[in-house]
Amino acid sequence: MEPRRISRHSAVAGTVIWIGWQLLAEPFAPIVLLVLSPLVLIPLLLAALAEERERSALMRALSWAQLPCALPLPLALSVEPGALALLSCLPWAGWTALAAVEGLRRVLAMVRRGGVRGLYDAELAIAAGLGFPVIGSGWLLCDRLAIEPLGFSPLIVLLTAVHFHHAGLTLPLSAGLLGRAMRGAGAGAGSSEPWRGAAVVVVLAVPLVAIGITVSPLLEVIAAGITAAAAIVVGTGMLQRSTSLPVIPALLSALSGSCLLAAMLFAASFALGEYRGAPWPDIASMIQLHGAVNALGFGLLGAWAWHLSPPAAPEATDSETPG
């Protein structure tokens, strides 16, 4: 079976499991959003990447292994921290580690082709989107062992795992796929520059937000502003792309881009308010507003839009060399 069909079936099965688990377990909202990514978003986005002209053996293996490795996560997040929770997370941690290897393979291929300058490309965002979830898996393991790195509260540990499974996944992959789409639409070098630049900035901004939370409130505000600016470009691009798509993917792309713009307003407002000592919305509202709009609006609708209308990969990718 082709990787694209495997990923589509995995996404449908994952959606059924995700909904059924919520009905049975009634989990905490951030946990619901966290599990959405491995079970639903990742297979949909893998299907969009399956349009690449030649896929590495590792990408094919990731498509096959995604659902089996994600299946134990609802159990892992439904039990108390401990040995069972840890063991249930390990398959997914292993999957994200292999995905990070695939991301690194792509980065090295870009360097081989163009040196450091070769990294100034929207394809860097796709490589990063494959790599960032492993950081989220590390924080998830800490959460399931009740470890509090650097003295962070259990809620912050969990939200960091969510951050790298959503902002670290859907935003870079969407930025990279948008770069492909705009390049494939016949945009010249000058007109494609905003999409390429936004994709590269997203790669830098996603981890910078996490570093800012750890190191400095001022750095957090700056990083949130940079992320919001790059994401606004991506959201605007998804709105622009929707004008050239068939009805259903066009609607999904437009709604996803609109939700991204709204989510970035919440994020920038929260970071600025936190720096001033009066965050707005408060963290509980951020989980409901920013989290839901970002994961369900931008992430889920956008993943389906990319799945239904994947852009072609550029001619020169490391996929020219079969793995």
Side-chain angles (χ1 to χ4, degrees):
M1 188 182 295
E2 284 296 313
R4 179 171 169 78
R5 292 185 62 191
I6 295 168
S7 295
R8 182 189 304 123
H9 295 332
S10 295
V12 173
T15 300
V16 173
I17 294 166
W18 181 66
I19 294 172
W21 165 66
Q22 291 179 67
L23 296 175
L24 293 173
E26 298 183 353
F28 184 38
I31 293 175
V32 171
L33 299 180
L34 174 58
V35 175
L36 173 69
S37 178
L39 282 179
V40 184
L41 303 189
I42 285 179
L44 288 173
L45 292 167
L46 284 179
L49 294 179
E51 290 297 299
E52 292 174 349
R53 291 175 174 79
E54 186 69 55
R55 294 171 294 277
S56 71
L58 184 51
M59 277 297 288
R60 289 192 289 270
L62 288 170
S63 297
W64 277 101
Q66 171 269 321
L67 183 59
C69 291
L71 277 178
L73 285 177
L75 172 63
L77 289 158
S78 300
V79 299
E80 293 297 319
L84 178 59
L86 173 65
L87 290 174
S88 301
C89 286
L90 288 179
W92 183 248
W95 190 94
T96 58
L98 289 177
V101 171
E102 170 64 18
L104 179 61
R105 181 188 72 83
R106 291 168 181 248
V107 169
L108 294 176
M110 294 169 70
V111 172
R112 284 199 300 271
R113 288 195 305 270
V116 175
R117 292 182 180 178
L119 296 177
Y120 184 62
D121 193 283
E123 294 298 307
L124 178 64
I126 291 177
L130 291 168
F132 283 150
V134 75
I135 303 175
S137 289
W139 285 87
L140 179 59
L141 292 176
C142 290
D143 174 78
R144 294 295 77 201
L145 288 173
I147 296 173
E148 300 176 9
L150 304 174
F152 286 126
S153 69
L155 179 60
I156 295 300
V157 173
L158 176 61
L159 292 179
T160 304
V162 175
H163 173 75
F164 280 103
H165 275 89
H166 284 281
L169 171 81
T170 51
L171 184 54
L173 287 180
S174 293
L177 290 168
L178 181 64
R180 286 185 178 182
M182 293 307 187
R183 180 164 41 198
S191 58
S192 66
E193 199 71 19
W195 321 115
R196 189 191 326 183
V200 174
V201 170
V202 162
V203 174
L204 301 175
V206 168
L208 193 60
V209 170
I211 294 170
I213 293 172
T214 305
V215 174
S216 162
L218 178 59
L219 180 58
E220 181 186 357
V221 171
I222 294 171
I226 294 172
T227 304
I232 286 170
V233 175
V234 174
T236 302
M238 294 184 73
L239 287 169
Q240 179 178 331
R241 183 176 185 247
S242 70
T243 61
S244 61
L245 296 175
V247 175
I248 293 178
L251 179 61
L252 292 171
S253 183
L255 289 173
S256 175
S258 299
C259 287
L260 179 58
L261 297 179
M264 288 305 103
L265 290 178
F266 291 136
S269 173
F270 178 81
L272 183 59
E274 189 177 38
Y275 175 68
R276 292 177 172 176
W280 185 91
D282 58 35
I283 192 163
S285 299
M286 273 293 287
I287 293 171
Q288 298 296 329
L289 292 173
H290 174 75
V293 171
N294 192 44
L296 299 175
F298 165 59
L300 183 58
L301 298 181
W304 271 110
W306 291 119
H307 171 73
L308 293 173
S309 57
E315 291 289 346
T317 67
D318 191 43
S319 49
E320 293 169 345
T321 307

